[in-house]
Amino acid sequence: MKNINYKLLYLLLGCTLLVYGSCRKAQQPVPEVVTTLFSPDPSSVVKGFYLVDEGNLGSSKASLDYLDYTTGQFSKNIYGQANPQVVKGLGDVGNDVGIYGSKVYIVVNNSNKVEVLNLHTNKRITQIDITNCRYVTFHNGKAYVSAYLGKVGDPKAPNGAVNEIDTTTLQVTRTVTVGRQPEEMAIVGEKLYVANSGGYSPPNYERTVSVVDLASFTELKRIDVAINLDRVKADQYGDIYVTSRGDYYNIPSKLFVIDTKTDQVKKEFDFGVSNLWIDGDIAYMYSYEFSYITGKNTTTYSMINVKDETVLNTKFITDGTEAQIKVPYGIAVNPVTKEVLVTDAKDYVSPGTLYCFSTAGKKKWSVITGDIPGHFAFAY
C-alpha cells in the first residue's frame, strides 16, 4: 500500500480482502525457505539486507526476508520463524523497514504498529502502537514515524502526524501535526521533511512538504510543491528529491528538487518517478504510472546525477530483463558493490521476485520473495 495511483484499485481490492479475511481464521505462517544464490563472502562489509513484503491489505500476510551476503543465502519468512508465538505473524501490510543500532524497525500499516526486532536474532522486542503508520527514519537516537491517522481510505481523515520514538526506551516521546496523509520523510541537518499526499480525498490532494524543526519538534512551514506527494530522498549536497504522483488523469507525475538551505523548489523534472534510491552522486529510479484515461500503466527506468542534476543516458538494466518485470515495486543499491536490487510485485496476490543487477546492468541472480516485496534495509 505504498502508492495511491493504481493502488486506489489495490485499496479497493484490499477492502474486499478485509471483509473476506474477517470471516476466516488467520493463516499460519509459511515455513522459512532458504535459497543459496552465490558463493559466501564472510568478509563482506555489508552483512546483508532485510526485505519487507507488504502482503495484501486485510490478509495479515506481511513477511520479512533476509539476504545474507556472508553466506550467499536468501531466507524467506524469517519473522515467522523467529517469532512463532505471534498469532498473525508480522501483520497487515508491511510498509517500511529501517535499522538503527541493534534494532530493526518494521512499520506495519494496517496493523497500526511498529514492530521492533533484535537485529541479531530477529526476535520481537516490542511493538509500538501507532495508528495508520507509514514510514520510518532515524536521527540522533530517535526514530520518526509518519502516520495518516483516521481510518484507511477515509476522505474526512484528519491531518497526519509524525511520531518521535526514543530508540532506548522505545516510547513515543513527542508528536507533531503535519499535512494530510503524510508519506516518506528525509532529514537534512536538524530539519525533517515530510511529503504530504492528501491521497484519501482526490481531487483535493495535498501539495506540500512539511518542514519540522527537530529541536522544538514543531512544523516551521509547508513548501508548496505539487499534488499528491510521495517519496522524499536526500542527497549529499543539501537537496531533497520529492516525487508527485499527479492525479492519474491530466496532471502527470513529476520529480522535484528542493534546496534545504532556502526551502525552495529549485528544479523540476518533467517525468514520473514512483520510487528512487540515491547512492553517492547517482539516483536510480523507476516509474510505474497508471492513467485512468488510457487504463494502462507505463513503466520507465532512469538515472540522474544529483551533483549536477542532469539525467544520464546510461541505464541500470542493460540486458533486457526489465521486460520480465511486470510491476517494479522496490529499489535499492548495495552501498559497497553498487549492485542494483529491483523487486517485482507481479499481480499483487502471488509471491514476487527480487532481481540483482551488476554495475554493468546484467542480471546476476533472481529469487522468489513473499507477496508484494518493496522495502529494503541494509545491515552492517
Side-chain angles (χ1 to χ4, degrees):
M1 207 173 76
K2 77 178 174 180
N3 291 335
I4 310 176
N5 51 8
Y6 54 92
K7 304 231 171 94
L8 287 173
L9 300 178
Y10 172 35
L11 182 62
L12 294 175
L13 172 63
C15 292
T16 302
L17 289 169
L18 181 60
V19 172
Y20 170 71
S22 66
C23 298
R24 61 183 176 87
K25 295 180 179 179
Q27 292 184 346
Q28 294 299 314
V30 297
E32 179 182 13
V33 177
V34 179
T35 304
T36 300
L37 297 176
F38 48 82
S39 299
D41 179 10
S43 64
S44 177
V45 175
V46 180
K47 301 305 179 185
F49 62 80
Y50 289 89
L51 173 63
V52 168
D53 310 300
E54 292 188 2
N56 294 290
L57 182 68
S59 66
S60 291
K61 287 185 66 180
S63 60
L64 184 65
D65 303 333
Y66 185 74
L67 188 284
D68 190 331
Y69 284 117
T70 67
T71 65
Q73 293 182 326
F74 181 82
S75 301
K76 291 178 60 178
N77 191 42
I78 62 171
Y79 179 91
Q81 293 302 304
N83 302 280
Q85 78 284 2
V86 182
V87 176
K88 292 188 177 181
L90 186 55
D92 192 357
V93 186
N95 209 70
D96 200 14
V97 60
I99 297 172
Y100 193 79
S102 61
K103 302 181 184 76
V104 183
Y105 297 76
I106 305 171
V107 179
V108 191
N109 173 232
N110 202 44
S111 290
N112 304 301
K113 66 176 181 176
V114 177
E115 286 273 341
V116 185
L117 311 183
N118 182 298
L119 176 63
H120 306 294
T121 65
N122 300 316
K123 290 186 179 297
R124 174 199 268 186
I125 298 172
T126 190
Q127 78 171 47
I128 304 167
D129 296 329
I130 297 178
T131 301
N132 213 340
C133 45
R134 298 294 292 174
Y135 290 93
V136 63
T137 192
F138 306 93
H139 184 67
N140 284 350
K142 308 293 184 183
Y144 296 94
V145 178
S146 59
Y148 276 11
L149 304 184
K151 295 181 179 180
V152 172
D154 181 6
K156 297 181 180 179
N159 277 21
V162 176
N163 298 269
E164 180 187 75
I165 299 169
D166 187 297
T167 57
T168 300
T169 65
L170 299 178
Q171 299 293 315
V172 174
T173 52
R174 296 185 293 181
T175 301
V176 61
T177 299
V178 290
R180 289 180 291 117
Q181 290 85 62
E183 296 285 10
E184 273 197 344
M185 303 164 289
I187 294 174
V188 179
E190 295 301 317
K191 291 187 291 186
L192 174 74
Y193 293 83
V194 188
N196 300 311
S197 71
Y200 281 173
S201 53
N204 183 32
Y205 292 106
E206 279 272 11
R207 52 176 299 119
T208 63
V209 169
S210 288
V211 184
V212 176
D213 174 65
L214 291 178
S216 62
F217 213 52
T218 56
E219 184 185 49
L220 299 175
K221 66 185 79 168
R222 294 184 188 177
I223 305 169
D224 185 76
V225 182
I227 66 167
N228 198 7
L229 302 180
D230 182 19
R231 303 289 181 178
V232 184
K233 294 290 193 302
D235 68 14
Q236 60 184 330
Y237 301 106
D239 294 332
I240 57 171
Y241 285 70
V242 183
T243 68
S244 163
R245 291 173 293 209
D247 67 354
Y248 321 118
Y249 287 95
N250 298 309
I251 302 176
S253 173
K254 291 186 179 183
L255 176 68
F256 298 85
V257 185
I258 294 176
D259 184 340
T260 63
K261 298 179 184 66
T262 62
D263 287 338
Q264 299 291 322
V265 175
K266 62 185 291 192
K267 190 158 187 173
E268 173 182 323
F269 290 94
D270 196 19
F271 54 78
V273 175
S274 299
N275 202 353
L276 71 159
W277 188 282
I278 299 177
D279 179 80
D281 284 347
I282 307 300
Y284 301 78
M285 307 173 293
Y286 69 80
S287 174
Y288 185 72
E289 186 172 3
F290 178 75
S291 168
Y292 282 112
I293 295 175
T294 65
K296 297 180 179 179
N297 289 291
T298 302
T299 305
T300 57
Y301 299 87
S302 55
M303 301 167 69
I304 287 177
N305 184 317
V306 298
K307 185 175 183 178
D308 56 18
E309 299 164 7
T310 57
V311 179
L312 302 178
N313 293 323
T314 55
K315 297 181 178 180
F316 59 86
I317 303 176
T318 59
D319 61 359
T321 304
E322 67 272 22
Q324 302 173 23
I325 302 174
K326 184 176 180 181
V327 180
Y329 205 78
I331 188 168
V333 179
N334 184 307
V336 175
T337 67
K338 309 305 178 183
E339 295 167 336
V340 182
L341 303 157
V342 179
T343 65
D344 183 358
K346 296 186 177 178
D347 59 4
Y348 299 111
V349 294
S350 57
T353 301
L354 167 64
Y355 293 89
C356 176
F357 297 95
S358 69
T359 54
K362 311 295 183 183
K363 187 179 84 170
K364 298 186 68 173
W365 49 261
S366 63
V367 66
I368 301 300
T369 67
D371 295 0
I372 316 181
H375 310 279
F376 295 86
F378 287 96
Y380 293 84

